[in-house]
Amino acid sequence: MISFKNFALRRGERLLLSAVDLTMHAGWRTGVVGRNGTGKSSLFAAVRGEVEADMGDLDLPNRVRVASIAQELPSLPDAAIDFVLAGDAAVAKVLKAEADAMAAEDWEAVAEAHLRMAEIGAYDAGARAGKLLHGLGFPAETHQRAVSTFSGGWRVRLNLARALMTPSDLLLLDEPTNHLDLDAVLWLEQWLLKYPGTLLLISHDREFLDNVCTHTLHLHGGSAKLYTGNFTAFERQRAEQLRLQQITHEKTQAEKAHLQKFIDRFKASAAKAKQAQSRVKRLAKMADTEAVRAEREVQIDFPQPVKLPHALLRINDGICGYPSADGQVVILDKVGFGLEAGDRIGLLGPNGAGKSTLVKSLVGDLPLLAGERYAHPDLRIGYFAQHTVESLVAGTSPIDHLREISPNVATQAFRDFLGKWSFPGDRAFESIDGFSGGERARLALALIAWLQPNVLLLDEPTNHLDLEMREALAEALSDFPGAIVLVSHDRHLIGLVSETYWRVADGAVIPFDGDLDEYAAWLRARGNAGELRTPPAMPAAAAPVAAAPATPKSKANPHKLQKAEARVAELERELSDIDGALADPNTWSDASKAATLGQRQSTLRSQLEQAEGELLALYDAA
């Protein structure tokens, strides 16, 4: 149990939180949400005992074991698996004692070490560490590599694996999905659902929050309010509160009309394409949340392209990769990929499989090793790469960046444009050195929008964006008439924006005939069949290995197929009923009933995932 009593917290002169009174019980999985700067990370620091309350008390049970992700990036000679194992200090200590005793041929000490290993479960610790590394995308051949040889993003993953390895009663995870690919995010979800302790989770990924959390802690305006339910349930409860308070009525009505237009447009396309059916599910979560969305401060838009030809960009028989001292490193082979006006394509696949390589080849930054890249003469690309935010020039202002692009444009035009991207007044002239990661990412997107592109190639644009900015980006992309290629681990964003999906894996780029829910089911079915996820190449990708010949598939039993379909339909109906009940504000007047419904919702989701995996396996056999 975690208890806050009249709790207040400052950072410098700023009052982050005041008069916080709430209790979180053991076993809860609580998502901590709020705008950037509201005190989420500072609250974690207080729980870890790194900062003291300015007023009131924060009470934790005696001897509670707390684990969290280290912020510093290690550069050590230790093997990756040893670094993760060291997260369990007791295991690491006894393994070292055993090794030292063996080296000294002290057999009595060896025997004592083995007894201790049996007591604390050290015999399978290596296997547990290996599973964590594998789940987070580390191929087996990298487990013995020195930590110092990994890039920054992979060291962040190592820190996450070490935190998960640490025995804990309370687990604090601050943005754990950053630097993960979608496959690793899905794996992490399943791991956290089985975690027996108490979880506090900061995330801007609403799908992740929805699927993991039983409660939501909202930080806003110096206060903290605890809600029962996941992020969608929180939004609906808060929307009802705002509606009852009659806050910004006219603004709410305007936002409702805008959101309805947004929903109608997506529903229309969802009716036409199987791959877009998941949009309806995601849009249903946004129903009746206009008041929360009207409260949002950030509104963005991408201007209409100067010209919008139909056939924009294409790669024919392309070989994508990199030249090397030994000739060339092939990442993707026989690529046939084209973009036309209005295309909205989401790229799926693990990190290192070639998604960024494909995007760079489309941009033209990475010349094809073979094949043809065709670009329309009026093509204008807006490209957001994973390093775009870091490439902004230190010591300069937003207006300086725009003036570098368009030196002859009047300053007032820059100010008017930046105001639409929430850089009003003097903010347009401030140095970006004082900007947050989210503000820098917003500026990078604004610079892309200034170019009035007809193609947007967005490679993980959400890493620095909070929930409000991600929602604004989804709506802005919905209005964009050009073509979009999107790489993102944020399922809510990619699920709303994308109409079709392509899977990048095993050296190939092929259409994926399904939506994100089916992709997740495909991953689970693949895992259940004993297959490993495609490992990312680290740090340089190797040439693709030819796929094994397909084996003949047996015909599925029609009775089993019908039974499996009925089971999925039954679970979906029951889950829909519970979702509807949790969406009713009256439900939350009875905390016990709401908690029971929340537990049943979590159970049904697990059962539905299993049933979908079984059904997918039968479809594959048909």
Side-chain angles (χ1 to χ4, degrees), residues 519-541:
Y519 179 68
W522 175 81
L523 283 176
R524 289 192 299 272
R526 196 180 189 201
N528 291 339
E531 300 179 32
L532 298 180
R533 50 175 276 177
T534 305
M538 304 174 57

Side-chain angles (χ1 to χ4, degrees), residues 277-332:
Q277 287 296 326
S278 61
R279 284 180 173 174
V280 176
K281 298 178 184 177
R282 287 173 170 81
L283 289 164
K285 294 181 178 181
M286 297 161 63
D288 303 320
T289 64
E290 297 86 2
V292 171
R293 306 169 80 76
E295 188 188 35
R296 187 177 65 210
E297 294 179 349
V298 179
Q299 301 287 344
I300 64 174
D301 71 290
F302 288 91
Q304 293 289 311
V306 177
K307 294 183 179 179
L308 186 58
H310 180 67
L312 291 160
L313 181 60
R314 180 160 191 86
I315 292 177
N316 293 321
D317 294 322
I319 297 179
C320 305
Y322 302 84
S324 70
D326 301 326
Q328 59 188 27
V329 177
V330 175
I331 307 296
L332 301 170

Side-chain angles (χ1 to χ4, degrees), residues 17 25 103 177 186 197 207 242 329 376 396 451 463 465 527 558 612:
L17 296 168
H25 292 279
T177 62
L186 291 166
E207 293 275 324
L242 293 176
V329 177
H376 192 280
T396 61
L451 298 172
N463 275 347
L465 302 183
E612 285 176 339

Side-chain angles (χ1 to χ4, degrees), residues 12 25 34 44 102 139 143 183 222 238 274 296 310 321 384 397 553 571 588:
H25 292 279
F44 270 30
M102 291 284 286
H143 293 189
D183 299 37
R238 179 158 175 77
K274 175 186 175 184
R296 187 177 65 210
H310 180 67
F384 188 103
S397 68
K553 297 178 179 177
L571 290 169
W588 304 101

